[in-house]
Amino acid sequence: MKIVGISSSPRGKNSNTLKLLNAALEGAAEAGAEVESIDVAKLKIKYCTACHSCYEKGVCNINDDYQGVLEKLLDADGIIWSSPNYITNVTAQLKTVFDRSPLVIHEQLFDGKYSLSLTTAGSDELDFVLGIMNNFMLNCGGNSIGGVGWPVARGPEAMEAAIKKSREMGKDLTEAIKEKRQYPEQEALHEAFRERFKHIILANKDEWKHNCDYWIEKGWIKE
Ligand SMILES: Cc1cc2nc3c(=O)[nH]c(=O)nc-3n(C[C@H](O)[C@H](O)[C@H](O)COP(=O)(O)O)c2cc1C
């Protein structure tokens, strides 16, 4: 079982958020997962150009480090998203990865995968940023086991508590994957997404050939 952790702070090894990611990956490894971490802030990933190639052909037209990241995510059973709060959002580095992933959303390619989200902030504004990462996972067809946030101004106790919780959640992510944990409310969201998105796929079927063929193959659209 593989779990990939995504780090997205530009502060490299000095990153607060990386402390949580490392703890979560340690917990996951203790529970038996093979773990790997990718720092997307160190990679060359360009902005999506909205060319629609991925809708038409199932491949991105831009040749850069995104493909390698996507391959690792598709090969993983679990993903740990991590980002500091940057202006009440994820970092531009992580948002660029999200923006390059419409194929993952259109074809629900994280179906069956599980994620955990981690954030740190100068303030107590943690849940909104965790929600952005959780929501991305749900939109990609995956499940989220939740998140951990560390309000850094709250002193060393808050740091210790967040590191401890990240380690526990890393273990729990591994357990969720092992037991194929069901989240009925998330499954209802996936079903609602497929029902809603079916009409968008059908409305664009002449252009979004790859997406449409995939939906027919999955049985989400009947011919
Ligand atoms: C450009 C920038 C924007 C930030 N925006 C916010 C913000 O909107 N709210 C907040 O609470 N903290 C904000 N912070 C503080 C960071 O979230 C905080 O220092 C975080 O722990 C940094 O994580 P890192 O060490 O992993 O990069 C911001 C920091 C920077 C550099």
Side-chain angles (χ1 to χ4, degrees):
M1 178 211 303
K2 286 187 195 159
I3 294 182
V4 172
I6 298 289
S7 170
S8 66
S9 162
R11 298 200 322 125
K13 61 180 173 25
N14 297 319
S15 159
N16 293 328
T17 320
L18 184 62
K19 288 191 174 70
L20 302 191
L21 179 60
N22 286 341
L25 289 171
E26 277 164 28
E30 278 167 30
E34 185 188 320
V35 301
E36 177 177 356
S37 94
I38 302 173
D39 184 349
V40 295
K42 289 211 173 85
L43 301 179
K44 299 269 179 286
I45 301 180
K46 295 182 188 149
Y47 300 137
C48 172
T49 59
C51 71
H52 292 192
S53 164
C54 63
Y55 308 158
E56 290 162 32
K57 302 177 202 147
V59 285
C60 181
N61 259 345
I62 305 171
N63 188 15
D64 63 7
D65 291 337
Y66 173 75
Q67 271 72 24
V69 174
L70 180 60
E71 273 167 33
K72 294 211 178 212
L73 295 178
L74 291 176
D75 193 40
D77 305 289
I79 301 168
I80 306 179
W81 304 107
S82 78
S83 174
N85 176 335
Y86 266 23
I87 320 297
T88 323
N89 215 307
V90 295
T91 59
Q93 288 85 344
L94 184 57
K95 180 63 164 62
T96 304
V97 171
F98 289 172
D99 286 357
R100 286 286 296 282
S101 304
L103 180 69
V104 184
I105 294 177
H106 281 209
E107 300 189 359
Q108 300 285 278
L109 297 180
F110 291 167
D111 182 18
K113 300 186 194 297
Y114 292 81
S115 76
L116 163 65
S117 302
L118 306 170
T119 193
T120 68
S123 67
D124 290 344
E125 203 175 43
L126 303 160
D127 289 346
F128 191 84
V129 179
L130 292 173
I132 290 170
M133 293 181 270
N134 292 341
N135 194 46
F136 174 73
M137 190 66 185
L138 285 168
N139 277 335
C140 293
N143 296 299
S144 167
I145 71 154
V148 183
W150 166 22
V152 291
R154 296 228 169 235
E157 292 86 12
M159 179 180 81
E160 288 308 323
I163 288 177
K164 185 165 176 276
K165 186 155 185 224
S166 297
R167 185 170 286 111
E168 286 165 8
M169 291 291 273
K171 275 190 192 151
D172 193 46
L173 177 62
T174 313
E175 297 307 328
I177 296 165
K178 279 187 202 161
E179 72 197 40
K180 297 193 193 315
R181 194 176 294 161
Q182 298 293 308
Y183 292 93
E185 70 290 358
Q186 295 188 25
E187 190 40 47
L189 289 173
H190 292 145
E191 274 172 30
F193 177 94
R194 287 199 291 269
E195 185 50 39
R196 199 172 60 241
F197 212 74
K198 180 169 76 182
H199 302 288
I200 301 173
I201 297 276
L202 283 171
N204 292 282
K205 67 179 176 356
D206 295 335
E207 192 204 348
W208 298 3
K209 187 119 190 31
H210 192 278
N211 288 169
C212 193
D213 289 348
Y214 189 85
W215 275 61
I216 291 167
E217 188 191 309
K218 283 285 195 181
W220 297 336
I221 290 177
K222 308 280 178 237
E223 269 184 296

